[in-house]
Amino acid sequence: MRDQASGETPDSSFTPPAANASNERPNQMTESHEPAIVANNLHRVFRIGSNLLRRGTDITAVHDISFSVPRGTIFGMLGPNGAGKTTTIKMLSTLLVPTSGSASVAGYDVQTHERHVRRQLGVVLGGDRGLYMKISAVDNLRYFGNLYGMPKADIERRSTELLETVNLTERASQRVEGFSRGMKQRLHLAKALLHDPPILFLDEPTIGLDPAAAVDLRRAVASLVPDHTVLLTTHDMHEADQLCREIAIVDHGRIVAQGTPGELKARVAGGRRVVVATRQPLNGLADDITGRLRSIETVRSVDQALTESGGSELTIFCNDTAQALDDSLAIVRGYGVTIDGIRVLEPTLEDAFLAIAGGRLQ
Amino acid sequence: MSAVARQVSEIGLWWQVVSATSATSFKRMTAYLINVVRIPIFPAGMFLTSYVAWNAAGVEAIDGVNVSGFLLAGMIGLICWSSSVWWSGSAIENERYEGTIAALFLTPASRVAVVIGHGLGGLLYMVPSFAVVGLLGVITGARLNIDSLAAVVLSLLALVASSLAMGFLLASFFILTRRANLMANIIQHPLYLVGGFMVPRDQLPIWLFWLSQAMPIAHAVDAFRASMLSSASLDDVSNALLATLLTSSLFVLIGILGIRKVEHVAKRSGQLDLF
């Protein structure tokens, strides 16, 4: 299994406290093989511009989307604005009725068991939405705790713990309207975790955050698994790559590709390459060297260019970077050329996204 | 868990939502000092304007009670009505305006309990208005004539219940629109007349009188006025209280069905516009 948070070590200070550590949930997420979230041909059409005299125009926001999310994992929906990510989350969280198709969350049908679904869910809507600005952070948590029917003692204990977890203890009694965006996002997360839901929907949780705040929040999200299942929507490639075990690339309301980040990257044929920089220009050796490099079995093509420092740069596109690296270094050195630098470039999720979704990101 | 225990538990959860919502709503309303200061000014102005107008017309008594007393009872009704329009009725709209409607609808809390909680919070917020109007009543010589305290208390409860019931109905309609604030303005003012707050309802044109008969708060104001100013007994106000109960029940029933139906319609049409 892929490391859920490779590249950023989860900070233990962000590990959310369990609602009742000594009292395990009967169907604890990690123990069941049933997927936490299942979407079957979810389809949503919006009618716009209709009134008493006009029928209006039908716009399909989500087109027969199907996926399932194993318990205890982070599943990402990656796509440009308007791709249908938020509409999908709305349908899964009972805020929007699908035009057709079905979905279940924690085993409950989202259309027939709405209240059960809501109890199993924590949703981070993001931005300025979803918090009462004129009351304090702790009052927000207290109110939402009451809306979830939590006992008073639990509300107080969880509020204290979670405010500490998201580093808002010192601002707990201040009105939310004075909070920065990052603080609001952290409070959103605390609110979503308050009733200790097994499943979390995070809709663009880091959008608009400064880099440091975004890193903090990603650490917090990474620390949620395997105790929680997370459905994350984002158009941040780096975030999706770091956090998600599986990603669905959504475009124009359809899932155009789905798999682990590694699987998606593997679909990008041209992304894997070795770049060898030489101190001197290759001049007359260039044709010979590139010809020999092209003869390596795993190499697909080779580009040669001059660098600003007066040397040459060989870009070797290949299927196996390790093999290409060994062979190409041996070949170049064999001509007595001094190597100035080597870079091994694996395809990024961005390469995959651009290849799959056709370059439309915003 | 037995069915009874489950029912008790459900009621407990329901009340938890009502009380938490009213407390939170009150905190939000009183977040700024100006909100607290401004709220009694309007009913006080209405009271004084009406009082001066009736006096200028040479009227000393309306329906057998002095003008000040008549207006005092009417203003208490008017304050309840304002509360029902702006807090119960606009409860969902206010959530939409604050951007919290999605967060609220994502919880399993009863929407009915939330609307009632907002209504109670609104009434609590109106306490300074009640106090100021009461003070003006005393200053202008309102003469109370109470024979049955039970009748007064029940009439007052009827006033609160009827205002919540009317707010309830409005809330269900306001879910579907983003222009509830403007609609509330349109609805609010005609009720000043139809509710009999500043003028006796029996002086209204007959069609307006029958329209007013459909308004729960109009009957509650009648009962409150009679029990507080005309020494009416419980028996004397029983018809008005019954009319309040029946019309309020109808409003609540339509409101509950409306909130459920309209929420579903809004989710189907995407009109909640949540995110």
Side-chain angles (χ1 to χ4, degrees):
Chain A
M1 184 189 288
R2 183 181 183 275
D3 181 4
Q4 291 282 341
S6 59
E8 281 181 12
T9 310
D11 183 338
S12 60
S13 69
F14 273 100
T15 305
N20 190 344
S22 60
N23 186 14
E24 287 190 352
R25 234 179 269 117
N27 56 344
Q28 202 164 13
M29 303 302 292
T30 49
E31 290 175 2
S32 171
H33 298 295
E34 188 189 337
I37 305 162
V38 178
N40 282 320
N41 299 312
L42 274 183
H43 192 87
R44 176 69 209 193
V45 176
F46 288 102
R47 179 161 295 172
I48 56 167
S50 65
N51 55 35
L52 289 174
L53 301 175
R54 283 198 322 170
R55 192 176 177 276
T57 311
D58 286 347
I59 303 285
T60 303
V62 171
H63 203 113
D64 292 332
I65 275 183
S66 297
F67 62 88
S68 67
V69 182
R71 292 175 186 247
T73 65
I74 301 178
F75 183 90
M77 292 188 80
L78 182 65
N81 293 334
K85 308 184 298 288
T86 299
T87 302
T88 305
I89 279 210
K90 280 186 188 179
M91 289 190 281
L92 290 172
S93 57
T94 76
L95 291 174
L96 191 63
V97 178
T99 306
S100 63
S102 63
S104 67
V105 171
Y108 296 108
D109 188 287
V110 297
Q111 292 187 71
T112 57
H113 292 82
E114 291 187 353
R115 287 187 79 183
H116 292 288
V117 169
R118 289 181 201 132
R119 286 193 187 283
Q120 305 296 318
L121 268 185
V123 183
V124 172
L125 304 170
D128 287 339
R129 300 162 299 171
L131 295 169
Y132 294 97
M133 298 292 151
K134 294 178 192 165
I135 60 175
S136 68
V138 72
D139 280 342
N140 266 278
L141 295 185
R142 282 178 184 143
Y143 181 48
F144 280 102
N146 279 302
L147 292 180
Y148 279 97
M150 292 171 67
K152 195 171 186 305
D154 285 359
I155 292 173
E156 293 304 317
R157 182 177 55 78
R158 290 283 291 166
S159 299
T160 306
E161 287 171 352
L162 286 165
L163 285 169
E164 196 175 327
T165 301
V166 297
N167 295 327
L168 285 174
T169 302
E170 288 180 8
R171 305 291 293 265
S173 56
Q174 293 178 16
R175 281 189 201 141
V176 175
E177 63 188 0
F179 284 15
S180 68
R181 185 149 193 159
M183 290 162 70
K184 283 177 191 163
Q185 286 296 77
R186 299 203 309 264
L187 184 58
H188 271 301
L189 192 60
K191 180 177 70 105
L193 289 165
L194 185 67
H195 60 293
D196 196 31
I199 299 168
L200 286 152
F201 290 171
L202 311 180
D203 190 30
E204 307 270 10
T206 57
I207 197 164
L209 296 187
D210 64 58
V215 167
D216 277 352
L217 201 75
R218 281 186 203 120
R219 281 180 182 153
V221 173
S223 71
L224 294 171
V225 289
D227 292 333
H228 301 79
T229 306
V230 179
L231 175 60
L232 171 80
T233 76
T234 182
H235 59 231
D236 186 319
M237 310 289 167
H238 179 62
E239 185 169 285
D241 197 6
Q242 275 188 328
L243 294 173
C244 300
R245 173 173 162 184
E246 194 170 358
I247 294 169
I249 294 180
V250 187
D251 194 27
H252 291 100
R254 297 172 194 269
I255 293 180
V256 292
Q258 186 176 333
T260 65
E263 287 167 349
L264 292 172
K265 290 173 200 170
R267 293 175 59 165
V268 187
R272 205 166 273 136
R273 55 211 184 270
V274 174
V275 180
V276 179
T278 63
R279 190 159 294 167
Q280 298 87 24
L282 295 176
N283 295 332
L285 297 173
D287 287 347
D288 266 8
I289 293 175
T290 54
R292 286 198 56 193
L293 289 172
R294 285 191 188 103
S295 68
I296 300 170
E297 194 180 336
T298 58
V299 170
R300 293 194 311 278
S301 65
V302 180
D303 282 350
Q304 193 260 144
L306 291 175
T307 64
E308 285 181 2
S309 59
S312 285
E313 190 171 86
L314 292 160
T315 303
I316 302 151
F317 295 89
C318 55
N319 297 325
D320 180 346
T321 48
Q323 181 68 45
L325 180 65
D326 285 348
D327 292 352
S328 57
L329 288 180
I331 289 168
V332 174
R333 282 185 180 131
Y335 283 90
V337 175
T338 308
I339 294 174
D340 204 28
I342 303 160
R343 281 178 291 147
V344 176
L345 301 173
E346 292 291 335
T348 63
L349 197 57
E350 189 163 357
D351 294 327
F353 180 86
L354 294 175
I356 293 164
R360 197 171 69 89
L361 190 57
Q362 295 303 319
Chain B
M1 190 187 282
S2 71
V4 175
R6 199 162 44 239
Q7 199 64 32
V8 169
S9 167
E10 280 290 313
I11 292 169
L13 288 176
W14 196 84
W15 178 247
Q16 183 179 4
V17 172
V18 170
S19 55
T21 303
S22 59
T24 304
S25 186
F26 181 73
K27 275 185 187 170
R28 286 164 58 202
M29 290 174 212
T30 54
Y32 312 118
L33 182 63
I34 187 68
N35 273 353
V36 181
V37 172
R38 80 180 169 96
I39 207 69
I41 291 173
F42 174 72
M46 289 293 279
F47 182 101
L48 290 173
T49 304
S50 302
Y51 180 75
V52 170
W54 281 112
N55 274 322
V59 176
E60 291 182 357
I62 306 166
D63 284 349
V65 299
N66 75 336
V67 169
S68 180
F70 180 87
L71 289 176
L72 174 61
M75 283 302 142
I76 289 171
L78 182 142
I79 294 166
C80 287
W81 167 239
S82 296
S83 169
S84 67
V85 172
W86 293 111
W87 306 118
S88 324
S90 300
I92 304 296
E93 169 62 9
N94 287 338
E95 299 283 351
R96 193 203 304 274
Y97 181 76
E98 287 234 15
T100 48
I101 190 168
L104 175 69
F105 277 48
L106 281 166
T107 71
S110 155
R111 281 68 166 128
V112 171
V114 169
V115 172
I116 290 177
H118 276 289
L120 289 176
L123 285 170
L124 200 60
Y125 176 53
M126 294 293 187
V127 165
S129 300
F130 291 123
V132 167
V133 165
L135 189 66
L136 285 174
V138 171
I139 292 168
T140 54
R143 282 194 297 274
L144 304 189
N145 199 355
I146 297 170
D147 190 48
S148 165
L149 196 59
V152 174
V153 170
L154 276 178
S155 300
L156 198 57
L157 287 176
L159 208 48
V160 171
S162 62
S163 71
L164 288 175
M166 294 179 78
F168 216 80
L169 187 64
L170 292 177
S172 66
F173 286 116
F174 287 175
I175 295 176
L176 272 182
T177 177
R178 285 177 220 168
R179 283 162 281 279
N181 191 291
L182 301 174
M183 287 171 67
N185 273 297
I186 291 171
I187 292 167
Q188 183 184 15
H189 298 111
L191 247 290
Y192 292 172
L193 188 66
V194 177
F197 303 138
M198 287 167 288
V199 293
R201 286 202 297 136
D202 54 16
Q203 298 294 309
L204 295 173
I206 190 70
W207 65 274
L208 263 185
F209 174 77
W210 282 108
L211 185 63
S212 76
Q213 288 288 77
M215 302 297 152
I217 202 162
H219 299 288
V221 167
D222 285 350
F224 185 60
R225 202 172 257 149
S227 62
M228 200 174 72
L229 306 172
S230 305
S231 64
S233 66
L234 201 52
D235 195 40
D236 294 333
V237 296
S238 58
N239 281 345
L241 290 178
L242 187 64
T244 309
L245 181 69
L246 289 175
T247 48
S248 293
S249 302
L250 191 64
F251 272 54
V252 168
L253 187 67
I254 297 171
I256 289 174
L257 294 175
I259 284 174
R260 284 185 185 160
K261 178 70 181 169
V262 167
E263 182 182 339
H264 186 71
V265 168
K267 284 179 180 179
R268 191 167 279 286
S269 62
Q271 280 179 284
L272 277 176
D273 200 12
L274 301 162
F275 289 175

